[in-house]
């Protein structure tokens, strides 16, 4: 397997030229030979928090790595910079496309304006964007998920696991996508225990997206909810969510992870016993499937939706303590069936 090159990007003019030179995604053993230049290349540009967030971005990386392992694809990664704007994203995607990567995938809705611009300039390159349907085109694949469905199941689990009847939801940034997580979770809690109390807090408001990147914000918010009696906390906050998991663990309470199965994330191993479950989004397979479709000559385009019926969203059961809660599992399984059968319609906004 070729080692993937990570591209450190910066948002200042003095580093822009360096980005143009290094954003080609060459691996360390790339000799620049003709055979290498003809190899299938694919690139992902990370969202806020970058690789190592133990969540959303890491799930995208897993899909790229799988493509390298199974499809003989040469991968490139590009990191975001703090406080960057759309112009930085445009430059990043342009550099990746010029380097011959196909597809080029923007990890997160923040890439929508940049993809709209760059995709038009490279009509023969497929561009993927995760969590957004606002920008469309003949060479754009919109990989989206029914986050509210997985979050509903998390709400059921939280209500069944709670002993105090008070649970917490922490959103990274108050945007429509994260409101879907909140809506599904609160509905699942209330449908399971109408008397339960759901504490809700958002870490930042746009255009400040630190709520996806700073664990200390998540930790402080979780500590506040714990002080108010919450004994299960669900955070949809990217890297910042790791702080809420830490706080819940140190208080001897439950945390619910997001996007990846956070029980199995190495960076959270110290707190894994307190991670009851995680709402997973199959970001990994969405990235892999798009890369494979391009390699097969039949690139995916348009809306590609991953929902509960196809395990595109799910509730992880890696924690043995979770598996031992038979009443909780039965309630979650019934809720999943009712959603798939159309007996429960999950809200997408609070």
């Amino acid at each position: 397997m070729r080692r993937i090159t990570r591209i450190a990007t910066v948002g200042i003019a003095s580093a822009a030229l360096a980005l143009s030179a290094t954003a080609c995604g060459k691996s360390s053993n790339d000799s620049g030979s003709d055979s290498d230049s003809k190899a299938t290349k694919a690139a992902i540009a990370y969202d806020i928090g970058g690789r190592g967030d133990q969540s959303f971005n890491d799930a995208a990386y897993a899909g790229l790595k799988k493509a390298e392992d199974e499809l003989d694809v040469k991968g490139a990664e590009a990191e975001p910079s703090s406080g960057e704007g759309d112009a930085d994203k445009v430059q990043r995607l342009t550099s990746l496309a010029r380097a011959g990567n196909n597809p080029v995938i923007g990890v997160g809705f923040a890439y929508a304006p940049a993809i709209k611009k760059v995709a038009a300039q490279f009509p023969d390159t497929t561009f993927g964007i995760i969590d957004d349907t606002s920008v469309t085109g003949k060479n754009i694949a919109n990989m989206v998920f029914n986050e509210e469905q997985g979050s509903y199941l998390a709400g059921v689990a939280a209500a069944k696991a709670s002993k105090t009847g008070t649970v917490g939801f922490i959103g990274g940034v108050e945007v429509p996508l994260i409101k879907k997580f909140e809506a599904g979770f609160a509905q699942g809690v209330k449908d399971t225990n109408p008397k339960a109390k759901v504490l809700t807090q958002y870490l930042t408001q746009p255009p400040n997206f630190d709520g996806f990147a700073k664990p200390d914000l998540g930790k402080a918010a979780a500590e506040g909810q714990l002080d108010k009696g919450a004994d299960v906390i669900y955070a949809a906050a990217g890297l910042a969510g790791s702080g809420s998991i830490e706080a819940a663990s140190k208080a001897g309470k439950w945390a619910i992870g997001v996007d990846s199965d956070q029980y199995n994330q190495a960076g959270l191993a110290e707190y894994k016993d307190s991670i009851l479950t995680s709402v997973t989004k199959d970001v990994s397979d969405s990235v892999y499937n798009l890369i494979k479709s391009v390699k097969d000559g039949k690139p995916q385009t348009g809306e590609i939706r991953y929902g509960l019926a196809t395990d595109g969203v799910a509730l992880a059961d890696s924690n043995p303590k979770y598996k031992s809660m038979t009443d909780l599992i039965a309630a979650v399984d019934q809720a999943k069936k009712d959603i798939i059968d159309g007996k429960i319609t999950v809200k997408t906004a609070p």
Side-chain angles (χ1 to χ4, degrees):
M1 183 186 78
R2 290 190 173 107
R3 182 171 70 83
I4 297 174
T5 299
R6 303 187 71 203
I7 305 164
T9 63
V10 292
I12 56 177
S14 62
L17 294 176
L19 172 63
S20 298
T22 61
C24 299
K26 290 186 178 182
S27 61
S28 60
N29 61 354
D30 188 353
S31 63
S33 66
D34 289 342
S35 61
D36 278 341
S37 65
K38 294 178 182 179
T40 300
K41 300 179 181 180
I44 55 178
Y46 290 119
D47 199 4
I48 298 165
R51 179 142 75 89
D53 66 352
Q54 315 296 326
S55 185
F56 184 55
N57 290 296
D58 282 1
Y61 167 70
L64 181 62
K65 184 175 184 298
K66 181 181 178 183
E68 278 214 322
D69 291 345
E70 299 183 7
L71 304 177
D72 193 27
V73 166
K74 183 180 180 183
E77 303 167 66
E79 291 282 1
S81 59
S82 178
E84 70 180 21
D86 289 339
D88 300 287
K89 292 181 176 64
V90 167
Q91 185 180 46
R92 182 176 306 123
L93 297 178
T94 299
S95 296
L96 292 170
R98 282 177 176 165
N101 292 292
N102 187 15
V104 174
I105 302 170
V107 183
F109 63 86
Y111 277 96
I115 283 182
K116 181 179 181 179
K117 183 173 182 178
V118 180
Q121 298 172 353
F122 294 88
D124 295 329
T125 299
T126 296
F127 289 82
I129 182 166
I130 301 173
D131 288 344
D132 181 85
T133 57
S134 69
V135 54
T136 59
K138 292 182 179 180
N139 60 331
I140 298 174
N142 308 88
M143 299 118 83
V144 290
F145 302 81
N146 292 118
E147 295 92 353
E148 73 283 358
Q149 294 179 348
S151 296
Y152 184 98
L153 300 187
V156 173
K160 298 293 286 186
S162 177
K163 295 179 180 178
T164 65
T166 299
V167 301
F169 172 81
I170 297 172
V173 183
E174 192 167 2
V175 293
L177 173 66
I178 306 303
K179 301 290 273 188
K180 289 173 66 180
F181 287 89
E182 177 196 350
F185 180 70
Q187 185 181 348
V189 170
K190 290 292 187 178
D191 284 357
T192 305
N193 179 8
K195 296 181 180 180
K197 184 177 182 180
V198 181
L199 306 176
T200 298
Q201 182 173 346
Y202 283 88
L203 302 179
T204 61
Q205 298 289 324
N208 180 0
F209 286 86
D210 285 349
F212 289 137
K214 295 188 175 181
D216 61 317
L217 296 179
K219 182 178 181 180
E223 289 172 343
Q225 292 184 341
L226 292 164
D227 288 343
K228 294 177 181 178
D231 59 353
V232 185
I233 296 178
Y234 172 40
L239 180 60
S242 63
S244 69
I245 291 173
E246 177 187 352
S249 177
K250 289 184 175 179
K253 307 302 181 182
W254 287 119
I256 295 178
V258 75
D259 292 338
S260 297
D261 183 356
Q262 295 194 294
Y263 178 87
N264 289 322
Q265 290 291 328
L268 296 171
E270 182 179 353
Y271 315 116
K272 64 187 298 183
D273 288 343
S274 296
I275 302 175
L276 176 66
T277 181
S278 297
V279 176
T280 60
K281 293 168 56 173
D282 204 355
V283 173
S284 173
D285 270 5
S286 73
V287 169
Y288 174 85
N289 291 341
L290 181 60
I291 295 172
K292 186 176 188 302
S293 75
V294 173
K295 184 176 176 66
D296 291 345
K298 299 178 180 180
Q300 293 177 327
T301 58
E303 182 177 310
I304 307 159
R305 182 164 293 278
Y306 294 84
L308 200 58
T310 58
D311 292 325
V313 294
L315 209 58
D317 64 356
S318 299
N319 192 333
K321 295 179 182 177
Y322 176 89
K323 293 179 181 178
S324 70
M325 299 179 182
T326 54
D327 289 347
L328 184 155
I329 290 176
V332 168
D333 287 347
Q334 184 61 53
K336 178 180 178 179
K337 183 178 185 302
D338 288 346
I339 292 171
I340 293 173
D341 291 346
K343 293 180 181 179
I344 295 175
T345 300
V346 186
K347 299 175 182 178
T348 56

